[in-house]
Amino acid sequence: MSAVVDKPSLDRVWRWLAEVPDPEIPVVSITDLGIVREVRYDGDQLVVTVTPTYSGCPATEVIAASICSAMAARGIADARMETRLSPAWTTDWLSDDAKRKLRDYGIAPPVGLAANEQRIDLSRLSRRVPAAPVVACPRCASTNTEVLSPSGSTPCKSLYRCAACREPFDYFKCH
Amino acid sequence: MAGSARLEYLLRLGDNALILSQRLGEWCGKGPALEEDMALTNTALDLLGQARLWLSLAAEEAGDGADEDTLAYLRDDRAFRNLLLVEQPNGGYADTLVRQFLFDAWASLALRQLLGSSDAAIAAIAEKAIKEVSYHLRRSSDLVVRLGDGTARSRALLQAALDTLWPYHHELFTGDAVDAEMLARGIGFDPASLRDAWLSYVRDVLAEATLTVPSAGGWAPKGGKQGLHSEHLGKLLAEMQVLPRSHPGARW
């Protein structure tokens, strides 16, 4: 039977993957985050290549399970996930749509490009620290904000506070 | 565990991350402030993720049914290849911070070298890890400056921690036959070649922190990379390994 059923096109598979939510921040999908790097068929088996956000992010394994169950629900029983480490994931891959969704959800999206922030002088370590980004409050849009804790509730976030509306909020770090 | 030089090398990289992660995890719920508790455990989580990548690669090299879990949970202390520095006890917050600072500066330099490794799998893990370690180094350097150039009490605690941990930095730059083979194959680097850059950075930060760099020479303990550890590692492993050792094959 499987021989006579057409395999879903890769475009369709991409659209399905765009409906798989991130387990920690469900308003954004795994494609919004830029962690799906490639989709292809290996014979009849669908292969989805993803890259982890942070090395220790516990969401990675949940994402793998979500992909396989989302594909199974759409009739693709034979799917596997591959992990690709290089190039390393960066928040530069977040779509504009993803940044808007994060803001609407109450999380300030990354400011600036990691490619610029993290350019490293390979010859010598330096304490030259890039100026802290100006992060706008996702609730009142004031830029009068301050960092409360560089480490936040998940590896990808810092905790900030808005001095205008006094609300604390998460900032999705530029990485 | 006798194995190829590449296996030894991967175990060293993985065990550094694993053992330091376990140490930092001991702070969970006990940090001196909520923000620090989160920072210590976030760092532990990054390092645990890196350890899983290195040890999974080591397990592929080892074959014989090894995987990241058997390497983490079923080896005895003599089979661990981490630097003595990372197994040192947490002590007080100052001791933990200084240990982290000395390690982060070294790890940043070491991972930069590995970005250019001829071994694509090693270069890829280094590329992933260096972004996280750069964040760790920024934090540990900032805190060393803030607490060193802080109150008389915080400065004294940091200086004491620095004096205690300083001897362990020698091992970071001491190579052996494994390092030599990895260098010759274009996979690794010469540990001694990192010393000047490390010292230069560490001295800059310590100067800004108004701390005194301990004098050169003196006691230089080593052996961790070859499996000869301090008494502290066995106790750490006893806690880390007790569940999978007591209940073989246990699953969540």
Side-chain angles (χ1 to χ4, degrees):
Chain A
M1 162 121 184
S2 63
V4 295
V5 175
D6 283 338
K7 289 181 289 196
S9 73
L10 294 178
D11 280 348
R12 282 190 85 180
V13 173
W14 272 105
R15 284 199 296 276
W16 290 339
L17 289 169
E19 293 166 17
V20 176
D22 175 80
E24 289 278 359
I25 311 170
V27 288
V28 292
S29 75
I30 57 173
T31 56
D32 284 334
L33 286 173
I35 59 180
V36 180
R37 304 312 297 161
E38 188 186 4
V39 179
R40 65 187 163 86
Y41 282 103
D42 179 5
D44 283 336
Q45 186 176 50
L46 180 72
V47 182
V48 180
T49 303
V50 301
T51 191
T53 52
Y54 284 73
S55 301
C57 184
T60 307
E61 287 172 22
V62 181
I63 289 169
S66 312
I67 288 175
C68 288
S69 61
M71 294 303 110
R74 287 160 178 94
I76 304 182
D78 194 7
R80 79 182 145 92
M81 213 190 75
E82 277 184 3
T83 301
R84 181 183 295 166
L85 293 178
S86 179
W89 178 80
T90 164
T91 49
D92 296 353
W93 295 344
L94 261 63
S95 62
D96 288 340
D97 201 34
K99 291 180 183 175
R100 181 186 55 74
K101 289 179 193 167
L102 283 173
R103 201 179 292 113
D104 292 348
Y105 188 61
I107 299 174
V111 175
L113 288 177
N116 298 336
E117 296 265 321
Q118 295 183 333
R119 191 153 292 149
I120 298 168
D121 174 6
L122 289 182
S123 60
R124 187 173 175 280
L125 284 182
S126 155
R127 230 173 85 67
R128 188 174 36 79
V129 176
V134 177
V135 178
C137 171
R139 295 174 203 279
C140 75
S142 168
T143 52
N144 187 9
T145 61
E146 60 179 346
V147 64
L148 282 180
S149 175
S151 294
S153 53
T154 65
C156 57
K157 289 179 281 185
S158 294
L159 188 61
Y160 273 66
R161 172 168 57 196
C162 177
C165 72
R166 309 304 294 171
E167 287 290 331
F169 64 91
D170 276 331
Y171 167 56
F172 203 102
K173 294 186 294 198
C174 187
H175 183 81
Chain B
M1 175 180 296
S4 70
R6 183 172 181 268
L7 174 58
E8 287 289 310
Y9 208 63
L10 291 168
L11 290 175
R12 290 173 180 187
L13 291 161
D15 289 345
N16 283 337
L18 178 65
I19 299 304
L20 188 54
S21 172
Q22 177 71 14
R23 277 288 184 230
L24 293 174
E26 292 170 14
W27 276 103
C28 185
K30 301 182 200 166
L34 183 57
E35 292 80 2
E36 280 313 303
D37 205 288
M38 288 198 294
L40 291 162
T41 46
N42 264 283
T43 306
L45 187 61
D46 286 342
L47 290 170
L48 183 63
Q50 293 168 22
R52 294 186 60 186
L53 295 172
W54 291 123
L55 292 181
S56 294
L57 197 55
E60 273 178 35
E61 178 80 18
D64 238 4
D67 64 22
E68 52 177 317
D69 287 332
T70 63
L71 290 178
Y73 294 126
L74 301 180
R75 279 182 298 155
D76 292 328
D77 58 348
R78 292 289 287 263
F80 274 77
R81 297 292 185 253
N82 57 280
L83 296 158
L84 297 176
L85 175 68
V86 299
E87 73 197 39
Q88 295 310 302
N90 283 343
Y93 182 66
D95 303 291
T96 291
L97 174 60
V98 169
R99 183 186 63 200
Q100 192 68 36
F101 168 63
L102 301 179
F103 177 79
D104 290 342
W106 174 81
S108 297
L109 291 166
L111 291 169
R112 271 167 215 201
Q113 295 292 317
L114 294 177
L115 290 176
S117 174
S118 64
D119 189 312
I122 289 178
I125 298 175
E127 183 186 343
K128 185 88 203 139
I130 197 168
K131 297 178 70 164
E132 294 157 5
V133 170
S134 300
Y135 203 75
H136 304 166
L137 178 62
R138 195 184 301 175
R139 167 182 170 273
S140 57
S141 301
D142 285 348
L143 280 173
V144 164
V145 170
R146 282 165 62 186
L147 295 175
D149 189 16
T151 65
R153 169 102 176 123
S154 70
R155 184 179 180 285
L157 287 170
L158 248 71
Q159 186 67 55
L162 186 62
D163 293 343
T164 301
L165 290 166
W166 190 254
Y168 295 98
H169 89 272
H170 294 289
E171 191 189 13
L172 310 181
F173 309 107
T174 307
D176 65 1
V178 171
D179 291 306
E181 182 178 338
M182 290 295 101
L183 176 66
R185 289 167 60 186
I187 296 176
F189 56 89
D190 172 12
S193 70
L194 305 185
R195 183 189 285 269
D196 287 348
W198 184 87
L199 267 178
S200 159
Y201 177 80
V202 166
R203 281 200 183 114
D204 282 355
V205 174
L206 294 179
E208 198 178 336
T210 74
L211 294 168
T212 306
V213 180
S215 53
W219 185 47
K222 52 183 184 290
K225 287 161 69 168
Q226 293 81 28
L228 302 172
H229 293 279
S230 62
E231 68 186 280
H232 308 296
L233 183 65
K235 296 173 193 165
L236 178 151
L237 294 180
E239 183 172 2
M240 186 176 87
Q241 299 180 333
V242 63
L243 192 125
R245 295 256 197 194
S246 312
H247 304 277
R251 305 184 65 84
W252 292 112

